[in-house]
């Protein structure tokens, strides 16, 4: 499975950004896609994920109510809408692919290249 992420960049506190990711290769409809992030000097952490077939979602507490993950228009693609951004959201964001919501939130099987999100005034 190959993952191609796009989006990211610089936003001011309180602003918004949108990340997108498309999966290709040997993907399955009954799978999940999502995002992790790694801030400078910190470990990678789970952000959000969505089950592709059912559309169920799961979020880290730190982003609930501010971030929304959704399926994209293209098959096996997802978007992460990030609103009310905070400086602590600054991180490299990684698109991930996994078997289901439980697995993907702890041990995703596949990782995309990271995309940098910087929140600063």
């Amino acid at each position: 499975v190959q993952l191609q992420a796009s989006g990211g960049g610089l936003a001011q506190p309180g602003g918004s950004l949108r990340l997108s990711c498309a999966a290709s290769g040997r993907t399955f409809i009954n799978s999940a896609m999502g995002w992790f992030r790694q801030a400078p000097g910190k470990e990678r952490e789970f952000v959000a994920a969505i089950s592709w077939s059912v559309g169920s979602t799961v979020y880290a507490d730190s982003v609930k109510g501010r971030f929304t993950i959704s399926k994209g228009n293209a098959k096996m693609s997802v978007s992460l809408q990030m609103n009310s951004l905070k400086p602590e959201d600054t991180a490299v964001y990684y698109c991930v692919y996994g078997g289901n919501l439980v697995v993907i939130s702890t041990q995703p099987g596949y990782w995309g290249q990271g995309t940098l999100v910087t929140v600063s005034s």
Side-chain angles (χ1 to χ4, degrees):
V1 175
Q2 295 78 45
L3 300 169
Q4 183 66 47
S6 61
L10 175 65
Q12 293 187 338
S16 299
L17 285 172
R18 187 177 184 88
L19 304 180
S20 297
C21 179
S24 60
R26 192 173 176 82
T27 59
F28 297 93
I29 195 68
N30 294 320
S31 59
M33 293 180 68
W35 300 88
F36 273 66
R37 68 185 181 186
Q38 186 168 21
K42 295 188 177 181
E43 294 185 353
R44 284 184 185 181
E45 63 174 358
F46 171 76
V47 175
I50 185 168
S51 62
W52 181 255
S53 60
V54 178
S56 299
T57 58
V58 60
Y59 295 91
D61 288 343
S62 59
V63 306
K64 279 182 182 176
R66 300 188 300 120
F67 291 11
T68 302
I69 189 169
S70 60
K71 292 190 287 186
N73 292 329
K75 185 180 178 182
M76 300 310 296
S77 67
V78 293
S79 294
L80 183 68
Q81 178 66 39
M82 304 182 292
N83 298 329
S84 302
L85 284 164
K86 304 176 181 180
E88 51 263 43
D89 293 319
T90 295
V92 176
Y93 284 70
Y94 297 89
C95 179
V96 294
Y97 174 92
N100 54 57
L101 284 182
V102 174
V103 171
I104 199 173
S105 64
T106 56
Q107 292 182 316
Y110 299 88
W111 296 75
Q113 88 286 3
T115 184
L116 179 62
V117 170
T118 303
V119 184
S120 175
S121 55

